[in-house]
Amino acid sequence: MQPTVIKAVNESGFNFKALLAVALLCLTGPSLAAEEKALTGQPVLSVTAANAGQGAEAVAAANDEASVSINQADAEQLASILKGVGLKKAESIVRYREQNGPFTQIEQLQEVPGIGPALFERNRARLKM
Protein backbone atom coordinates (compact mmCIF):
# COMPACT_ATOMS: atom_id res chain seq x y z
CA MET A 1 0.00 0.00 0.00
CA GLN A 2 1.38 3.40 -0.97
CA PRO A 3 1.14 6.39 1.40
CA THR A 4 -1.12 9.22 0.32
CA VAL A 5 0.65 12.56 -0.18
CA ILE A 6 -1.35 15.58 0.88
CA LYS A 7 -0.58 18.68 -1.12
CA ALA A 8 -1.50 22.26 -0.25
CA VAL A 9 -3.12 22.87 -3.61
CA ASN A 10 -6.70 23.94 -4.20
CA GLU A 11 -8.92 22.88 -7.10
CA SER A 12 -7.37 25.42 -9.50
CA GLY A 13 -3.87 24.08 -8.87
CA PHE A 14 -2.75 27.05 -6.76
CA ASN A 15 0.12 26.21 -4.41
CA PHE A 16 -0.36 27.88 -1.02
CA LYS A 17 3.13 26.97 0.15
CA ALA A 18 4.65 28.84 -2.78
CA LEU A 19 2.44 31.84 -2.07
CA LEU A 20 3.47 31.82 1.58
CA ALA A 21 7.16 31.61 0.64
CA VAL A 22 6.85 34.56 -1.76
CA ALA A 23 4.96 36.60 0.83
CA LEU A 24 7.63 35.94 3.45
CA LEU A 25 10.39 36.92 1.04
CA CYS A 26 8.59 40.15 0.17
CA LEU A 27 8.14 41.00 3.83
CA THR A 28 11.66 40.17 4.97
CA GLY A 29 13.56 41.35 1.87
CA PRO A 30 13.64 45.09 2.71
CA SER A 31 14.55 44.49 6.34
CA LEU A 32 17.34 42.08 5.40
CA ALA A 33 18.70 44.63 2.93
CA ALA A 34 18.62 47.34 5.59
CA GLU A 35 20.39 45.05 8.04
CA GLU A 36 23.08 44.20 5.48
CA LYS A 37 23.57 47.89 4.70
CA ALA A 38 23.96 48.64 8.41
CA LEU A 39 26.52 45.85 8.80
CA THR A 40 28.57 46.56 5.69
CA GLY A 41 27.98 50.28 5.22
CA GLN A 42 27.38 49.62 1.52
CA PRO A 43 24.10 50.25 -0.31
CA VAL A 44 22.16 47.16 -1.27
CA LEU A 45 20.06 46.76 -4.41
CA SER A 46 16.45 46.58 -3.35
CA VAL A 47 14.47 43.42 -3.87
CA THR A 48 11.95 45.35 -5.96
CA ALA A 49 14.54 46.58 -8.45
CA ALA A 50 16.23 43.19 -8.65
CA ASN A 51 12.92 41.45 -9.31
CA ALA A 52 11.81 43.99 -11.89
CA GLY A 53 14.06 42.28 -14.44
CA GLN A 54 16.41 45.24 -14.61
CA GLY A 55 19.49 43.78 -12.89
CA ALA A 56 22.66 45.73 -13.70
CA GLU A 57 20.62 48.45 -15.41
CA ALA A 58 18.84 49.15 -12.12
CA VAL A 59 22.16 49.41 -10.31
CA ALA A 60 23.50 51.82 -12.93
CA ALA A 61 20.35 53.91 -12.75
CA ALA A 62 20.59 54.05 -8.96
CA ASN A 63 24.20 55.21 -9.18
CA ASP A 64 23.29 57.82 -11.81
CA GLU A 65 20.59 59.29 -9.58
CA ALA A 66 23.18 60.74 -7.22
CA SER A 67 24.10 64.28 -8.13
CA VAL A 68 26.35 66.92 -6.68
CA SER A 69 26.35 70.72 -6.75
CA ILE A 70 29.60 71.95 -8.22
CA ASN A 71 29.17 75.25 -6.36
CA GLN A 72 28.40 73.86 -2.90
CA ALA A 73 30.02 70.44 -2.54
CA ASP A 74 33.26 69.92 -0.70
CA ALA A 75 36.09 67.80 -2.11
CA GLU A 76 34.96 64.62 -0.34
CA GLN A 77 31.44 64.90 -1.74
CA LEU A 78 32.72 65.54 -5.26
CA ALA A 79 35.11 62.60 -5.09
CA SER A 80 32.45 60.22 -3.79
CA ILE A 81 29.85 61.00 -6.48
CA LEU A 82 31.83 61.81 -9.61
CA LYS A 83 33.22 58.84 -11.55
CA GLY A 84 36.92 59.09 -12.29
CA VAL A 85 37.40 61.97 -9.84
CA GLY A 86 39.51 61.21 -6.83
CA LEU A 87 40.28 63.44 -3.89
CA LYS A 88 43.08 65.31 -5.71
CA LYS A 89 40.90 66.30 -8.69
CA ALA A 90 38.04 67.14 -6.36
CA GLU A 91 40.35 69.43 -4.39
CA SER A 92 41.34 71.06 -7.69
CA ILE A 93 37.67 71.76 -8.42
CA VAL A 94 37.17 73.35 -5.00
CA ARG A 95 40.39 75.38 -5.34
CA TYR A 96 39.35 76.61 -8.81
CA ARG A 97 35.94 77.61 -7.45
CA GLU A 98 37.54 79.50 -4.52
CA GLN A 99 39.94 81.36 -6.82
CA ASN A 100 37.50 82.15 -9.66
CA GLY A 101 34.14 82.36 -7.93
CA PRO A 102 31.15 80.08 -8.37
CA PHE A 103 30.54 78.29 -11.65
CA THR A 104 27.85 79.92 -13.79
CA GLN A 105 27.50 76.95 -16.16
CA ILE A 106 28.14 73.27 -15.63
CA GLU A 107 30.35 73.23 -18.74
CA GLN A 108 32.82 75.55 -16.96
CA LEU A 109 33.97 72.53 -14.98
CA GLN A 110 36.12 71.66 -18.01
CA GLU A 111 38.24 74.75 -17.27
CA VAL A 112 39.57 73.01 -14.15
CA PRO A 113 42.98 71.42 -14.84
CA GLY A 114 42.56 67.65 -15.10
CA ILE A 115 38.88 67.75 -16.07
CA GLY A 116 38.71 67.05 -19.80
CA PRO A 117 35.78 66.54 -22.14
CA ALA A 118 35.58 62.77 -21.61
CA LEU A 119 35.54 63.02 -17.82
CA PHE A 120 33.01 65.84 -18.01
CA GLU A 121 30.66 63.87 -20.30
CA ARG A 122 30.93 60.77 -18.08
CA ASN A 123 29.68 62.84 -15.15
CA ARG A 124 27.33 65.33 -16.83
CA ALA A 125 24.19 63.66 -15.43
CA ARG A 126 25.63 63.78 -11.90
CA LEU A 127 26.37 67.51 -11.99
CA LYS A 128 24.08 70.31 -10.89
CA MET A 129 24.49 73.98 -10.13
Side-chain angles (χ1 to χ4, degrees), residues 14 38 50 65 83 86 91 120-121:
F14 190 76
E65 289 177 10
K83 302 296 179 190
E91 289 171 347
F120 174 76
E121 288 301 324

PDB file of all heavy atoms in Angstrom, residues 14 38 50 65 83 86 91 120-121:
ATOM      1  N   PHE A  14      -3.517  25.967  -7.393  1.00  0.00           N
ATOM      2  CA  PHE A  14      -2.752  27.046  -6.756  1.00  0.00           C
ATOM      3  C   PHE A  14      -2.003  26.487  -5.558  1.00  0.00           C
ATOM      4  O   PHE A  14      -2.578  25.846  -4.693  1.00  0.00           O
ATOM      5  CB  PHE A  14      -3.713  28.160  -6.335  1.00  0.00           C
ATOM      6  CG  PHE A  14      -3.009  29.398  -5.886  1.00  0.00           C
ATOM      7  CD1 PHE A  14      -2.436  30.248  -6.806  1.00  0.00           C
ATOM      8  CD2 PHE A  14      -2.909  29.702  -4.550  1.00  0.00           C
ATOM      9  CE1 PHE A  14      -1.796  31.395  -6.403  1.00  0.00           C
ATOM     10  CE2 PHE A  14      -2.261  30.841  -4.131  1.00  0.00           C
ATOM     11  CZ  PHE A  14      -1.712  31.684  -5.063  1.00  0.00           C
ATOM     12  N   ALA A  38      23.470  48.180   7.116  1.00  0.00           N
ATOM     13  CA  ALA A  38      23.964  48.640   8.409  1.00  0.00           C
ATOM     14  C   ALA A  38      25.256  47.911   8.790  1.00  0.00           C
ATOM     15  O   ALA A  38      26.166  48.504   9.352  1.00  0.00           O
ATOM     16  CB  ALA A  38      22.902  48.422   9.487  1.00  0.00           C
ATOM     17  N   ALA A  50      15.626  44.420  -8.168  1.00  0.00           N
ATOM     18  CA  ALA A  50      16.225  43.185  -8.649  1.00  0.00           C
ATOM     19  C   ALA A  50      15.172  42.311  -9.313  1.00  0.00           C
ATOM     20  O   ALA A  50      15.434  41.668 -10.325  1.00  0.00           O
ATOM     21  CB  ALA A  50      16.887  42.430  -7.497  1.00  0.00           C
ATOM     22  N   GLU A  65      21.514  58.382 -10.248  1.00  0.00           N
ATOM     23  CA  GLU A  65      20.592  59.293  -9.585  1.00  0.00           C
ATOM     24  C   GLU A  65      21.313  60.265  -8.651  1.00  0.00           C
ATOM     25  O   GLU A  65      20.831  61.348  -8.409  1.00  0.00           O
ATOM     26  CB  GLU A  65      19.540  58.509  -8.803  1.00  0.00           C
ATOM     27  CG  GLU A  65      18.541  57.810  -9.689  1.00  0.00           C
ATOM     28  CD  GLU A  65      17.555  56.979  -8.914  1.00  0.00           C
ATOM     29  OE1 GLU A  65      17.521  57.076  -7.676  1.00  0.00           O
ATOM     30  OE2 GLU A  65      16.828  56.220  -9.544  1.00  0.00           O
ATOM     31  N   LYS A  83      32.441  59.987 -11.083  1.00  0.00           N
ATOM     32  CA  LYS A  83      33.220  58.837 -11.554  1.00  0.00           C
ATOM     33  C   LYS A  83      34.523  59.317 -12.179  1.00  0.00           C
ATOM     34  O   LYS A  83      34.528  60.220 -13.004  1.00  0.00           O
ATOM     35  CB  LYS A  83      32.428  58.034 -12.592  1.00  0.00           C
ATOM     36  CG  LYS A  83      31.107  57.527 -12.088  1.00  0.00           C
ATOM     37  CD  LYS A  83      31.288  56.539 -10.971  1.00  0.00           C
ATOM     38  CE  LYS A  83      29.935  56.071 -10.486  1.00  0.00           C
ATOM     39  NZ  LYS A  83      30.004  55.306  -9.279  1.00  0.00           N
ATOM     40  N   GLY A  86      39.044  61.535  -8.159  1.00  0.00           N
ATOM     41  CA  GLY A  86      39.513  61.207  -6.826  1.00  0.00           C
ATOM     42  C   GLY A  86      39.612  62.464  -5.980  1.00  0.00           C
ATOM     43  O   GLY A  86      39.199  63.559  -6.393  1.00  0.00           O
ATOM     44  N   GLU A  91      39.746  68.271  -5.041  1.00  0.00           N
ATOM     45  CA  GLU A  91      40.354  69.430  -4.389  1.00  0.00           C
ATOM     46  C   GLU A  91      40.685  70.515  -5.418  1.00  0.00           C
ATOM     47  O   GLU A  91      40.570  71.710  -5.127  1.00  0.00           O
ATOM     48  CB  GLU A  91      41.606  69.004  -3.617  1.00  0.00           C
ATOM     49  CG  GLU A  91      41.277  68.203  -2.374  1.00  0.00           C
ATOM     50  CD  GLU A  91      42.510  67.578  -1.720  1.00  0.00           C
ATOM     51  OE1 GLU A  91      43.599  67.543  -2.349  1.00  0.00           O
ATOM     52  OE2 GLU A  91      42.374  67.096  -0.583  1.00  0.00           O
ATOM     53  N   PHE A 120      34.192  64.998 -18.174  1.00  0.00           N
ATOM     54  CA  PHE A 120      33.009  65.841 -18.008  1.00  0.00           C
ATOM     55  C   PHE A 120      31.755  65.123 -18.520  1.00  0.00           C
ATOM     56  O   PHE A 120      30.734  65.071 -17.833  1.00  0.00           O
ATOM     57  CB  PHE A 120      33.200  67.178 -18.744  1.00  0.00           C
ATOM     58  CG  PHE A 120      31.966  68.024 -18.737  1.00  0.00           C
ATOM     59  CD1 PHE A 120      31.595  68.718 -17.596  1.00  0.00           C
ATOM     60  CD2 PHE A 120      31.169  68.110 -19.862  1.00  0.00           C
ATOM     61  CE1 PHE A 120      30.440  69.493 -17.578  1.00  0.00           C
ATOM     62  CE2 PHE A 120      30.016  68.888 -19.850  1.00  0.00           C
ATOM     63  CZ  PHE A 120      29.648  69.569 -18.711  1.00  0.00           C
ATOM     64  N   GLU A 121      31.822  64.554 -19.713  1.00  0.00           N
ATOM     65  CA  GLU A 121      30.657  63.870 -20.297  1.00  0.00           C
ATOM     66  C   GLU A 121      30.254  62.655 -19.468  1.00  0.00           C
ATOM     67  O   GLU A 121      29.068  62.357 -19.343  1.00  0.00           O
ATOM     68  CB  GLU A 121      30.932  63.463 -21.745  1.00  0.00           C
ATOM     69  CG  GLU A 121      30.958  64.630 -22.709  1.00  0.00           C
ATOM     70  CD  GLU A 121      29.654  65.425 -22.748  1.00  0.00           C
ATOM     71  OE1 GLU A 121      28.570  64.826 -22.621  1.00  0.00           O
ATOM     72  OE2 GLU A 121      29.732  66.654 -22.913  1.00  0.00           O
TER      73      GLU A 121
END
